[in-house]
Amino acid sequence: MFRRPRPQNEPDARPATAPETPPSTPTPDATRVLGDLLARPTAEGILEGALTHGVTLLGGGAQGYAVLRRGEDHIAAVVGYPKTLVGTPLSGPWTGPRPRLLQGGGREVAGHNSPEVREGLAAAGLPDAALTLVVPLMDRGRTLGALVFDWKAAVEVSPGTQEAVGRWAAAVAPLLGVLGARDDWRQAARQLSAALVEAVESQDFDSLGHGGAVAEAALRLGRAVGLAERELDELWFAATLHDLGKINGEAGHAQMGANFLHGVAPLAESQKAIRHHHERWDGAGEPDGLAGEDIPLYARILAVANASVRLGDPERLRAEAGASLDPRLVATFEKLAE
């Protein structure tokens, strides 16, 4: 009988400093948006992460704020500006389908607003911006708000960079419209998870599609051992995201991937599965040297699914039974292939 996952006290394995991310790969700030969606699905949380990643795409040096159109337009998140601006009603040039560069944009934005609002903006230094990039947040032709980036001094923002930020805003905008319904929220979380994993995998052609293939194999095995739909949902996230830690390189990627889900209560078992999917049945694995059924069930399922995709050969998979892999799960997986 397969043991269900059980709570474990685990140390926080987050390194003191994260390895430097190559410019060609998605940055951890992109994963933060997904983390916010999973952990606290609020527009404010998602927009703060979107702003942070937007500043990264722009090469740093910018400040920013997100405008959310909910009733009246208001500032919903800030990066580099005082948090006191959050909640401020704000009018401005948000309409239009494409990003816009505004010389002296801080003064232009302030000019759209009442004296009382302008006073608060001035105290925060917003009208001092010499250059402003306005990136509308649009979903199905509807303006939901905007990401606004300010520079105190004139800088060069290339058309390619503007396009990259525009694509990022286009990916984030649909998430703002699905937060009210749980089914939509789950679908958005799945879509963004898959998109982030594909972006990481695309840096290594041999890995492209690996996360999806492992998720499919893991769900087949999970159903075979009697997991319920809620448990299968957690298993899907674990399998899809199991290599996301490679965004910072191969070394320690299991712990890095698990840390990404730190604090996401609905996916606590997914976090443990990712952390322990390189443990071995014989106890010679990592990071904690767990053995046998001390390894969480989802991690053991994930290990078999991962090995089946990587090895691609039933005999090679069978050879790992009782060594790196749970022998009963390997036997069950083999029956599924018959």
Side-chain angles (χ1 to χ4, degrees):
M1 185 174 182
F2 295 102
R3 235 171 30 179
R4 286 285 193 273
R6 56 185 174 77
Q8 294 183 349
N9 294 320
E10 296 178 349
D12 186 354
R14 284 175 288 186
T17 57
E20 185 176 341
T21 304
S24 60
T25 62
T27 70
D29 291 326
T31 65
R32 178 182 174 183
V33 176
L34 177 58
D36 283 334
L37 180 63
L38 296 172
R40 51 185 184 100
T42 66
E44 291 75 13
I46 291 171
L47 288 171
E48 185 177 340
L51 280 171
T52 302
H53 186 51
V55 169
T56 302
L57 291 173
L58 292 165
Q63 299 170 268
Y65 54 94
V67 175
L68 182 62
R69 177 161 291 177
R70 185 173 289 170
E72 64 178 352
D73 292 358
H74 66 278
I75 296 177
V78 295
V79 168
Y81 279 117
K83 294 280 189 182
T84 52
L85 283 177
V86 173
T88 300
L90 193 69
S91 299
W94 326 132
T95 57
R98 296 182 183 86
R100 298 172 56 201
L101 272 177
L102 306 175
Q103 300 291 337
R107 291 191 302 275
E108 179 174 339
V109 170
H112 283 270
N113 293 275
S114 67
E116 293 80 10
V117 170
R118 289 201 300 270
E119 183 177 346
L121 299 181
L126 190 146
D128 299 334
L131 183 69
T132 296
L133 175 63
V134 177
V135 187
L137 292 166
M138 306 274 301
D139 183 36
R140 290 171 287 190
R142 184 167 58 104
T143 299
L144 304 179
L147 302 179
V148 184
F149 302 95
D150 288 336
W151 290 265
K152 296 299 184 184
V155 296
E156 184 70 27
V157 184
S158 70
T161 300
Q162 294 179 49
E163 183 181 350
V165 179
R167 287 197 303 269
W168 174 238
V172 170
L175 303 179
L176 300 176
V178 302
L179 297 178
R182 178 167 175 79
D183 288 343
D184 287 343
W185 168 82
R186 286 158 59 91
Q187 183 61 24
R190 280 178 173 259
Q191 289 174 345
L192 188 54
S193 297
L196 285 175
V197 168
E198 184 176 332
V200 173
E201 292 175 342
S202 68
Q203 306 305 313
D204 177 5
F205 182 78
D206 290 339
S207 296
L208 195 59
H210 176 71
V214 172
E216 182 179 349
L219 290 181
R220 288 172 56 213
L221 184 52
R223 290 189 183 96
V225 301
L227 294 187
E229 283 303 313
R230 179 190 59 78
E231 295 170 317
L232 290 170
D233 199 41
E234 283 205 75
L235 182 61
W236 182 91
F237 277 102
T240 299
L241 300 172
H242 76 280
D243 277 344
L244 190 58
K246 290 183 179 179
I247 198 169
N248 285 315
E250 181 75 34
H253 72 268
Q255 292 114 302
M256 182 67 70
N259 289 338
F260 164 61
L261 292 180
H262 179 73
V264 183
L267 298 181
E269 298 300 335
S270 303
Q271 181 190 27
K272 286 191 286 188
I274 293 171
R275 176 180 171 83
H276 295 296
H277 77 275
H278 283 307
E279 306 282 5
R280 290 173 54 97
W281 184 259
D282 60 13
E286 58 181 24
D288 297 327
L290 301 181
E293 292 194 356
D294 285 339
I295 304 170
L297 175 58
Y298 294 173
R300 285 180 276 140
I301 292 174
L302 178 51
V304 172
N306 192 32
S308 72
V309 172
R310 290 210 176 274
L311 297 176
D313 182 349
E315 290 189 7
R316 294 175 67 190
L317 184 67
R318 191 179 306 118
E320 293 298 321
S324 64
L325 304 175
D326 182 332
R328 289 181 297 171
L329 286 175
V330 172
T332 301
F333 192 79
E334 286 185 314
K335 290 179 182 177
L336 293 174
E338 292 176 355

